[in-house]
Amino acid sequence: MTLADLWFWIIAVSFTIYFFLEGFDFGVDLLRPLLARNERERKAMIGTIGPFWDGNEVWVILAAGTIFATFPLWYGALLTGIYPIFALILLALIGRGVAFEFRSQIDRPGWRVFWDVTSFVGSLIPAFFWGVVMANLVRGLPIGTAGKFQGSLRDYFDLFSLLGGAATLLLFMLHGATFLLLRLHKGDELHARARQAALFWGFLATVATLAFVYLGYVREGLFQNFGLASWLFPVAAAITLGSIWVALTRKWDGLAFLASGLTVAFSTLTVFLGLFPRVLPSTLGQQFDLTVQNAASQPYTLRLMTIVGVIFLPLIIGYQVWNYYVFRQRVRVDAGRLEEGY
Amino acid sequence: MDALGFTALDLSRFQFATTNIFHFFFVPFTVGLAITIAVFQTLAYARQSQLYEDLTKFFGHLFLINFAVGVVTGIVQEFQFGMNWAGFSNFVGNIFGVPLALEVLMAFFLESTFLGLWWFGRDRLPKWANLASIWLVAVGSTISAFWIIIANAWMQHPVGFEVVNGQALMTSFWAVMTNPKGWSWFFHIWFAGLTIAAFFVLGVSAYHLRRGERTVRTHTPRPQQTPLTTRGPQHNAQGLRQAGDDQAGRQQHASERGHFLAAMKVGLVIAAIGTFGVIAVGHLQGQSARRDQPMKFAAFEAIWDTTTGQTPESLIALPSNREGRNLFNLEIPYVGSILAYNRPTGGVTGLHDLQKEYQAKYGPGNYIPPVWPVYWAFRIMVGCGLLMLGMVVWGLWLWRKGRLTGAPLYLTGLLFMPLIPHIANFSGFITTEMGRQPWIVQGQLLTANAVSPLAPGVVLVSLVSFWIVYLLLIGLDVFLLTRTATAGLHRPDVEAEGLPAPRYDGGEA
């Protein structure tokens, strides 16, 4: 494996971790209007992700920054190619990021409703559009010579990419619901509602994901360059998705969360496995495909990044795990003081 | 193709510049305030002092409001390099991407994770670990500033690279990392961050000291259990307070005066370090610009024609790019040379000669940056610096005389001071970023060749969207900061509503 290959997989793993982590905090935001019936419950739900969401979000900044450093051509072509989608995602993330902090600053219902709507929409847009981005990544963009984007605004959206969006959105809702099962006090009514939500949204997520995979298989050749072993990923995703049902109905909450998380992870990895060794297929012709080799940075940069990555990635994972450990206890709805986001 | 007469290049430049400036309002503030709060908390820890504990909490609350905006505007910056400047990304990715990735790996994770641990972990971590968390946030924001400035410095003074097939390749990371321009800018902006935070603390403290003695504040009795519903008048902050946290009905005596006097002293020390630092480093930077970005230096001073012997310093001028001269210019002899060389004589190459030089070197084109904004931004920045210096010296003198709280004129003056370092920052940004045009990478890549192949209409829509959202953010940030800062230390609903610690399921909590 060359260093360029290595960095492709580090980027794939960064996206996977990002979707795994921020997937559930998007999900909690999306479920809040559906599950919480009063201010206490809303606060408890925010409290489950309060200490974590900001650290989760950094994974996408890492993924993007890493693409910039290790595959500059990919970076320029992808971000320019689907510019409006990224602009939308960024605007949503802005609103969401400040909503957590600002919501608690003024004690008025109207003010809080405004920020609740902002953070809901701020989660809805990226949860859906990251799926659209992934679908476009699989399908490819009109990229011409030297990685120059030659298309226009049309056709980001077809059945395939919309299904990709729906699948991520629903998977994140499922993932958020199973996260709530772990984080909320078991005696609270909210906890029971989260289980119902997991079952309902999990069902829809299964349907959407299967449809996306099927369409990807027949229309986009999603698995065409998979060896037999690589089939393990989509199969494993299907198995984990199935095992969620067992876990939810038998109240094995830890397993449910693990399964929904693995589903998110396997789905993401499937996209990158399908992509490899390309980083961005061109719809204008194979000769324009950006690949790991032709889009990569010079060896010197890659070596440098590898050294830095080897030092810092374990450190980051270490203190993030510790962060989850410190705030491992379940959040209560009926406690006197409630948690805020920041 | 154009939208409203603008090309994608115009719009991308405007979008990048403005989103960057917005971001640049918040970030140095964050850097400085994190350090200031870490100092407060260290004092609280070392002296077992409730007073500094209160100040940590109070300014910590203000910090969080600002931090959120800094983070979200920062994400946009990273993505814009690829979105709007694909040509730039392709050309410099090998080099420029590295400090950017290092910033994420070394700083962003650190800041965001430990900020959560610091704020929410107040009653869940040992005191020393909580203190260490805020220091890690402060260190993280400083490291972040360092790498992004190293990246920017490379664009202004490229080092350690060679160009092969239209891509800049790194030949020495060491050279990139030790770029002298980067280090001097880093210190300049780091000190600037300290001044922003310090004058903010001073302004807030002055506000409260000026309002006079308000030592005894009464907390109204609050019901133990207020039913909570989503709406309705009975739903108030008091209902959220933890019973027994603060004996209901007990009067709380709080000497805000003592608190804010202490805050002011810390603020003055940090303002002194920041102001002296920023001016000293700024002076060195001006001289480095003369050496490696002579065009920018000539624009600072609006020097069109090369000077020999002594160079005067322009005080007020009306530079005109169109006519290629100053329509009006008031100068002091010798001072220009002193600033540029630390001696009374020394010539400076003028814009016209540099233009000829650049045309010979890089081919035909206009290499003169827009002079008047650069010239005036530079003067505003320096003026703000001198004003801050004056306020620091005045404050230190009052402190020595023991009259810090008894000087109404000084306190009134401080009320306006939080704005001044921001204006200086803004002007500094204009000076340095406009002064290097038309280059995006000095001598290597023109801004015009860096832009993405986008339809202008698309950029226009995103530009307008970002503007609306950013203006809202600034408005809200200023509103919330003002509201929280003026409310004082012990306003009940700030305490109750303002980010209490989490309540968990039994056990250690």
Side-chain angles (χ1 to χ4, degrees):
Chain A
M1 188 156 77
T2 64
L3 281 181
D5 294 341
L6 175 72
W7 277 99
F8 175 84
W9 291 113
I10 293 178
I11 288 161
V13 170
S14 298
F15 270 110
T16 306
I17 297 178
Y18 172 66
F19 289 137
F20 181 98
L21 293 175
E22 188 131 284
F24 66 68
D25 68 53
F26 282 151
V28 170
D29 259 355
L30 292 167
L31 290 169
R32 196 181 49 236
L34 304 169
L35 299 186
R37 297 199 178 145
N38 57 44
E39 178 60 15
R40 280 187 187 283
E41 292 188 344
R42 272 190 288 276
K43 288 208 166 191
M45 286 184 75
I46 297 170
T48 61
I49 55 172
F52 310 125
W53 73 268
D54 195 7
N56 295 349
E57 194 168 283
V58 183
W59 284 96
V60 77
I61 309 179
L62 177 71
T66 309
I67 297 180
F68 193 0
T70 55
F71 299 96
L73 278 176
W74 183 15
Y75 195 65
L78 179 67
L79 294 190
T80 306
I82 36 182
Y83 185 97
I85 295 183
F86 282 107
L88 215 68
I89 290 177
L90 288 174
L91 289 165
L93 290 180
I94 292 175
R96 180 174 194 257
V98 293
F100 288 119
E101 172 55 39
F102 286 179
R103 150 182 227 285
S104 61
Q105 300 299 325
I106 293 180
D107 187 25
R108 278 198 210 109
W111 173 266
R112 277 197 296 262
V113 166
F114 176 78
W115 291 112
D116 284 345
V117 171
T118 306
S119 79
F120 176 79
V121 176
S123 297
L124 184 73
I125 289 175
F128 180 80
F129 281 99
W130 278 125
V132 177
V133 170
M134 288 292 137
N136 275 293
L137 204 56
V138 168
R139 199 181 45 192
L141 292 169
I143 303 291
T145 46
K148 272 231 165 73
F149 176 74
Q150 292 187 343
S152 64
L153 277 179
R154 61 180 191 279
D155 66 30
Y156 303 138
F157 301 106
D158 61 359
L159 186 62
F160 181 63
S161 66
L162 292 177
L163 262 177
T168 52
L169 178 68
L170 293 164
L171 270 180
F172 289 166
M173 289 182 77
L174 165 68
H175 195 34
T178 59
F179 180 73
L180 287 174
L181 292 178
L182 282 187
R183 296 284 296 138
L184 288 171
H185 190 250
K186 281 183 184 166
D188 287 331
E189 202 197 326
L190 191 57
H191 190 269
R193 264 179 257 148
R195 187 183 308 282
Q196 293 307 314
L199 284 165
F200 178 74
W201 296 103
F203 172 73
L204 293 183
T206 310
V207 173
T209 308
L210 289 177
F212 177 72
V213 166
Y214 175 73
L215 213 60
Y217 179 67
V218 297
R219 283 234 321 240
E220 311 295 339
L222 180 58
F223 306 113
Q224 69 184 11
N225 64 343
F226 277 32
L228 189 63
S230 308
W231 265 99
L232 282 175
F233 278 88
V235 169
I239 292 172
T240 53
L241 209 53
S243 63
I244 292 170
W245 298 100
V246 182
L248 282 175
T249 45
R250 304 209 170 174
K251 305 199 172 179
W252 296 337
D253 295 341
L255 182 66
F257 177 70
L258 189 72
S260 67
L262 286 176
T263 309
V264 171
F266 285 138
S267 312
T268 314
L269 287 172
T270 302
V271 167
F272 282 93
L273 263 171
L275 212 53
F276 188 80
R278 297 163 300 172
V279 291
L280 188 59
S282 170
T283 50
L284 302 179
Q286 273 192 355
Q287 70 274 26
F288 298 125
D289 282 359
L290 293 181
T291 65
V292 166
Q293 290 312 319
N294 72 22
S297 283
Q298 59 178 128
Y300 182 80
T301 301
L302 294 175
R303 273 201 304 277
L304 199 68
M305 288 291 294
T306 307
I307 296 168
V308 181
V310 165
I311 298 170
F312 285 98
L313 282 173
L315 202 66
I316 289 163
I317 292 169
Y319 60 68
Q320 285 219 333
V321 168
W322 183 60
N323 186 25
Y324 279 91
Y325 177 76
V326 169
F327 299 107
R328 66 193 174 281
Q329 286 182 318
R330 290 168 186 268
V331 176
R332 299 186 72 120
V333 171
D334 56 356
R337 282 202 302 178
L338 290 166
E339 186 171 20
E340 304 291 329
Y342 63 80
Chain B
M1 275 220 297
D2 57 18
L4 305 179
F6 295 107
T7 62
L9 174 65
D10 299 331
L11 295 164
S12 289
R13 278 186 66 183
F14 193 63
Q15 177 175 307
F16 194 83
T18 50
T19 51
N20 214 336
I21 288 171
F22 281 136
H23 181 56
F24 199 53
F25 279 125
F26 301 104
V27 170
F29 192 8
T30 304
V31 173
L33 205 54
I35 293 167
T36 311
I37 290 165
V39 168
F40 281 138
Q41 192 165 345
T42 306
L43 288 167
Y45 182 79
R47 298 186 185 175
Q48 303 280 314
S49 154
Q50 184 60 40
L51 181 147
Y52 286 109
E53 195 83 47
D54 294 343
L55 287 175
T56 306
K57 234 171 137 180
F58 175 70
F59 285 104
H61 188 173
L62 293 163
F63 175 71
L64 289 176
I65 294 174
N66 203 67
F67 185 87
V69 186
V71 168
V72 295
T73 52
I75 304 176
V76 177
Q77 287 317 111
E78 190 194 42
F79 279 82
Q80 275 192 108
F81 289 121
M83 288 165 65
N84 294 73
W85 304 102
F88 171 77
S89 300
N90 295 349
F91 181 74
V92 303
N94 284 284
I95 298 169
F96 190 86
V98 175
L100 221 64
L102 285 176
E103 188 189 11
V104 184
L105 284 165
M106 293 171 72
F108 288 170
F109 280 111
L110 199 69
E111 281 179 274
S112 56
T113 309
F114 282 93
L115 187 69
L117 280 162
W118 175 62
W119 192 258
F120 296 111
R122 267 198 310 246
D123 52 3
R124 305 187 63 74
L125 289 176
K127 271 201 154 65
W128 66 267
N130 193 251
L131 177 63
S133 299
I134 186 66
W135 274 110
L136 286 172
V137 173
V139 167
S141 59
T142 296
I143 295 174
S144 157
F146 173 76
W147 286 117
I148 202 65
I149 291 163
I150 285 291
N152 181 281
W154 189 85
M155 296 160 73
Q156 312 243 2
H157 182 55
V159 286
F161 75 105
E162 57 182 356
V163 177
V164 178
N165 293 333
Q167 267 199 322
L169 299 185
M170 201 180 331
T171 54
S172 163
F173 179 65
W174 181 251
V176 172
M177 201 177 89
T178 55
N179 190 346
K181 206 162 192 104
W183 280 84
S184 71
W185 281 359
F186 164 68
F187 281 112
H188 190 58
I189 290 166
W190 190 77
F191 282 125
L194 289 186
T195 64
I196 296 179
F199 280 104
F200 177 73
V201 170
L202 286 172
V204 172
S205 305
Y207 172 83
H208 290 285
L209 290 170
R210 222 172 129 265
R211 292 179 64 182
E213 198 70 41
R214 287 182 307 158
T215 48
V216 181
R217 294 167 57 90
T218 310
H219 280 193
T220 47
R222 60 187 74 81
Q224 296 273 343
Q225 288 288 325
T226 308
L228 267 174
T229 53
T230 39
R231 48 179 58 242
Q234 78 274 36
H235 174 218
N236 56 23
Q238 281 78 9
L240 295 173
R241 286 184 72 87
Q242 185 186 13
D245 165 48
D246 188 339
Q247 301 297 319
R250 191 175 29 156
Q251 287 197 331
Q252 185 168 347
H253 297 264
S255 168
E256 294 204 341
R257 203 175 176 78
H259 280 80
F260 285 112
L261 181 59
M264 208 159 152
K265 288 176 178 172
V266 173
L268 262 177
V269 172
I270 294 176
I273 298 170
T275 311
F276 286 116
V278 86
I279 291 174
V281 180
H283 175 62
L284 296 177
Q285 268 178 281
Q287 299 190 337
S288 87
R290 177 184 55 76
R291 283 191 301 273
D292 48 42
Q293 287 180 294
M295 193 64 106
K296 187 198 275 188
F297 184 80
F300 286 169
E301 303 293 350
I303 296 172
W304 295 91
D305 301 307
T306 303
T307 58
T308 49
Q310 65 90 10
T311 306
E313 173 70 15
S314 167
L315 270 187
I316 300 171
L318 291 175
S320 162
N321 271 59
R322 201 154 45 91
E323 298 194 25
R325 65 185 181 92
N326 295 324
L327 304 179
F328 170 82
N329 197 3
L330 178 67
E331 302 176 312
I332 330 173
Y334 297 106
V335 177
S337 296
I338 295 173
L339 290 173
Y341 297 95
N342 297 330
R343 56 182 157 83
T345 55
V348 171
T349 317
L351 292 161
H352 291 312
D353 284 343
L354 287 166
Q355 164 71 9
K356 280 182 209 143
E357 219 177 273
Y358 277 35
Q359 279 194 325
K361 206 168 160 188
Y362 303 114
N366 182 7
Y367 298 96
I368 299 180
V371 179
W372 79 260
V374 176
Y375 173 92
W376 279 105
F378 183 72
R379 265 146 198 78
I380 292 169
M381 173 180 76
V382 172
C384 289
L386 295 176
L387 179 59
M388 289 190 276
L389 186 66
M391 290 302 277
V392 165
V393 171
W394 188 4
L396 291 175
W397 180 77
L398 286 171
W399 187 355
R400 195 164 160 260
K401 294 266 170 189
R403 293 201 290 118
L404 211 44
T405 54
L409 191 61
Y410 184 63
L411 293 182
T412 308
L414 281 185
L415 291 184
F416 300 95
M417 286 309 288
L419 213 58
I420 301 299
H422 279 294
I423 295 174
N425 244 36
F426 171 81
S427 317
F429 183 94
I430 298 287
T431 307
T432 202
E433 299 304 326
M434 246 180 172
R436 73 173 150 129
Q437 295 300 336
W439 297 107
I440 195 165
V441 179
Q442 185 73 38
Q444 302 294 329
L445 184 67
L446 291 167
T447 310
N449 297 334
V451 73
S452 299
L454 288 164
V458 177
V459 190
L460 185 67
V461 171
S462 79
L463 169 66
V464 172
S465 319
F466 278 117
W467 258 79
I468 292 170
V469 170
Y470 275 47
L471 286 177
L472 272 171
L473 278 185
I474 289 214
L476 283 165
D477 190 72
V478 171
F479 165 69
L480 288 173
L481 284 179
T482 315
R483 187 176 180 275
T484 311
T486 53
L489 294 166
H490 297 286
R491 203 188 64 184
D493 78 300
V494 168
E495 267 187 87
E497 189 62 2
L499 314 153
R503 186 73 182 171
Y504 291 102
D505 176 18
E508 302 153 37

